[in-house]
């Protein structure tokens, strides 16, 4: 699948083990490598198989998510659902400027 998606096997492993979040272009390549279109990939996302087309979640309802110890990364869980029997997180990543002082 990594070859078909044009990414490394290591990246696929990190995604599978919830160690990284793929960018939208990478996610699209992975979906297409599975011979699915985006509609088919996300079709089971609605709770109780309802077919809502749009999810609106207010920023105040986002859930903080710890992904890594690096400074300047603020993850907010927007939505978590099971798709095709597996967990999927939709996450907003906010990058903050971090002042780094290097002493010589």
């Amino acid at each position: 699948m990594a070859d078909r998606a044009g990414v490394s096997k290591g990246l696929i492993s990190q995604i599978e083990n919830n160690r990284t979040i793929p960018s939208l272009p990478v996610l699209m390549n992975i979906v297409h490598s599975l011979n699915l279109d985006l509609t088919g990939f996300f079709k089971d996302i609605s709770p109780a198989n309802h077919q809502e087309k749009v999810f609106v979640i207010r920023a105040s309802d986002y859930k903080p998510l710890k992904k890594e110890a690096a400074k300047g990364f603020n993850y907010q869980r927007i939505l978590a659902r099971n798709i095709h029997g597996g967990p999927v997180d939709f996450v907003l990543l906010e990058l903050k400027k971090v002042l780094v002082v290097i002493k010589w």
Side-chain angles (χ1 to χ4, degrees):
M1 178 172 61
D3 292 338
R4 288 184 298 190
V7 298
S8 70
K9 292 175 185 170
L11 178 60
I12 295 294
S13 176
Q14 288 179 335
I15 294 167
E16 288 174 333
N17 291 300
N18 202 26
R19 297 192 66 212
T20 192
I21 301 166
S23 66
L24 183 56
V26 169
L27 177 62
M28 291 176 67
N29 287 345
I30 291 170
V31 169
H32 290 135
S33 76
L34 295 170
N35 294 321
L36 295 171
D37 62 12
L38 290 177
T39 302
F41 183 78
F42 290 110
K43 74 176 175 70
D44 293 334
I45 198 167
S46 299
N49 290 328
H50 292 105
Q51 295 299 318
E52 293 92 346
K53 301 292 184 201
V54 177
F55 291 96
V56 177
I57 299 176
R58 299 186 195 303
S60 61
D61 293 332
Y62 291 173
K63 304 282 190 247
L65 177 67
K66 285 283 190 188
K67 292 287 286 178
E68 56 194 277
K71 293 181 180 180
F73 290 78
N74 182 24
Y75 293 94
Q76 296 287 327
R77 177 175 281 127
I78 296 172
L79 180 67
R81 289 282 186 257
N82 283 328
I83 298 177
H84 301 294
V88 175
D89 278 330
F90 292 85
V91 177
L92 173 67
L93 170 59
E94 178 184 7
L95 300 175
K96 296 181 178 180
K97 288 184 180 181
V98 176
L99 178 62
V100 177
V101 178
I102 301 173
K103 294 182 181 181
W104 295 97

